[in-house]
């Protein structure tokens, strides 16, 4: 069965999605490596990639480690969850928010919805 | 008699300012910045002292309140400024250096130039993705974001700019201006911004002089803007 292409447009910017796509096959990449991959398909600056990775790190979507290199230190970024895990966490957050806000109404709606199939 | 005392008091403050200026010329700007605080609180002290000379019921109470106010200004303002200076210049940088998100680096540029200026300059990398670099005393702090973003030559230009700040003792002036502005409204009207921008200009000139080109400094600034 062909996997459905998920659009995270409402949650992530197109560039953030592209960055995540590079990290999802459980890769550990440096900012410059991600930049080198993405610059072939779109016009962007190294600083934009660095800023977006920092934002993703602040949101807890990606993690980072510090690596010693010649002449200094640098970050290595990795995804905290694979694609499926990320999707699951989005669904979990949305459902929890609905239940917190609407309580039993939301729960009975889910029952109705799943009994219909 | 009282006029003479007032005159002597202001004369004493003026003498302190002038002596500081001539003895510590390199610290003249921050000293002048702080000396205006003494002139600011002086009238309150003299007023309180004058009021104590007439001890009737109401003026006694007024004198008591004024004395409290004067003491508050006399002790609290200078002591908070002093504590902020000590904390900002000695204690906080020390704690910051010892913290987990700060690692000491040995960078070829710093090692090369520290010997030249006979100063012990240390470089620290800060665990922060935003590209920032700053200097406190003889320590240069640079974020990992900055290390990643700039090329080798651009990084050299930025480090030379920071060494220029150490050479010109800019951090002392910058910290003083921040504290003085925080404490006194008058400091906002002084030409501090000119001082600070002149310090930046001097640091840029320093970097260009030792790199023999402004190319890398300009491209680093462009990347960071």
């Amino acid at each position: 069965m062909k996997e459905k292409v998920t659009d995270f447009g409402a949650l992530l910017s197109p560039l953030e999605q592209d960055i995540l796509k590079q990290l999802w096959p459980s890769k550990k990449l440096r900012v410059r490596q991600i930049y080198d991959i993405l610059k072939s398909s779109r016009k962007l600056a190294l600083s934009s990639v660095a800023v977006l990775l920092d934002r993703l790190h602040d949101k807890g979507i990606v993690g980072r480690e510090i690596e010693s290199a010649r002449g200094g230190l640098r970050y290595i970024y990795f995804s905290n969850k694979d694609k499926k895990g990320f999707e699951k966490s989005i669904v979990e957050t949305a459902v929890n928010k609905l239940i917190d806000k609407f309580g039993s109404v939301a729960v009975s709606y889910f029952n109705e919805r799943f009994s219909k199939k | 008699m009282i006029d003479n005392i007032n005159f002597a008091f202001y004369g004493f403050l003026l003498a302190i300012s002038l002596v500081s200026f001539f003895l510590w010329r390199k610290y003249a700007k921050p000293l002048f910045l702080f000396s205006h605080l003494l002139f600011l609180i002086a009238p309150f002290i003299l007023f309180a002292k004058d009021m104590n000379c007439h001890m009737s019921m109401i003026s006694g109470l007024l004198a008591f309140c004024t004395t409290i106010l004067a003491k508050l200004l006399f002790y609290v303002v200078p002591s908070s400024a002093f504590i902020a200076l000590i904390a900002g210049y000695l204690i906080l940088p020390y704690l910051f250096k010892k913290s987990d998100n700060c690692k000491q680096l040995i960078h070829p540029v710093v090692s090369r130039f520290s010997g030249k200026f006979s100063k012990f300059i240390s470089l620290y990398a800060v665990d922060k993705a935003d590209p920032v670099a700053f200097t406190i005393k003889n320590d240069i702090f640079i974020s990992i974001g900055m290390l990643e973003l700039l090329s080798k030559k651009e990084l050299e230009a930025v480090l030379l700019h920071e060494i220029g700040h150490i050479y010109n003792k800019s951090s002392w002036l910058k910290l003083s201006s921040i504290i003085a502005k925080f404490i006194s409204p008058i400091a906002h009207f002084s030409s501090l911004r000119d001082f600070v921008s002149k310090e930046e200009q001097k640091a840029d000139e320093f970097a260009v002089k030792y790199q023999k080109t402004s190319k890398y400094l300009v491209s680093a600034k462009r990347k960071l803007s």
Side-chain angles (χ1 to χ4, degrees), chain B residues 10 39 44 55 117 129-130 142 147 177 183 212:
Chain B
Y10 276 109
F39 285 92
F44 289 93
M55 288 296 280
F117 304 120
D130 296 333
I142 191 158
L147 291 170
S177 72
I183 291 167
K212 294 183 179 70

Side-chain angles (χ1 to χ4, degrees), chain A residues 31-32 47 54 64 71 73 75, chain B residues 107 125 127-129 148-149:
Chain A
V31 179
R32 202 169 279 277
S47 56
D54 189 40
R64 71 183 175 206
L73 301 173
Y75 287 126
Chain B
H107 197 277
D127 183 6
K128 199 172 166 60
E148 278 183 325
L149 200 63

Side-chain angles (χ1 to χ4, degrees), chain A:
Chain A
M1 198 176 87
K2 197 182 168 186
E3 198 186 338
K4 199 180 163 190
V5 179
T6 320
D7 181 22
F8 298 111
L11 299 156
L12 301 169
S13 72
L15 188 53
E16 282 176 327
Q17 290 181 54
D18 287 349
I19 290 171
L20 272 180
K21 274 176 201 162
Q22 302 307 319
L23 295 171
W24 268 330
S26 57
K27 273 188 197 167
K28 284 187 172 185
L29 294 171
R30 283 186 282 123
V31 179
R32 202 169 279 277
Q33 284 174 317
I34 299 173
Y35 166 72
D36 287 339
I37 297 166
L38 295 179
K39 76 175 179 189
S40 55
S41 58
R42 60 163 75 211
K43 200 181 167 189
L44 82 166
L46 178 66
S47 56
S48 313
V49 180
V51 168
L52 288 178
L53 276 164
D54 189 40
R55 266 190 224 161
L56 290 170
H57 174 260
D58 289 344
K59 287 179 190 169
I61 298 169
V62 299
R64 71 183 175 206
E65 286 167 358
I66 299 170
E67 185 194 58
S68 294
R70 201 159 53 93
L73 301 173
R74 59 193 180 195
Y75 287 126
I76 295 186
Y77 286 92
F78 53 89
S79 174
N80 278 337
K81 283 172 183 161
D82 61 2
K83 195 181 172 190
K84 280 227 163 87
F86 181 63
E87 286 170 353
K88 200 183 156 190
S89 68
I90 291 168
V91 174
E92 203 177 297
T93 315
V95 170
N96 286 345
K97 268 187 190 169
L98 284 172
I99 293 171
D100 286 346
K101 203 167 184 184
F102 300 104
S104 56
V105 180
V107 176
S108 63
Y109 172 77
F110 287 132
N111 275 336
E112 246 174 66
R113 178 72 183 78
F114 293 117
S115 58
K116 272 185 203 168
K117 251 192 172 181

Side-chain angles (χ1 to χ4, degrees), chain B residues 62-81:
Chain B
L62 191 64
F64 177 73
C65 296
T66 328
T67 313
I68 295 287
L69 183 67
K71 276 185 177 171
L72 197 75
L73 278 167
F74 191 71
Y75 293 117
V76 173
V77 173
S79 58
S80 56

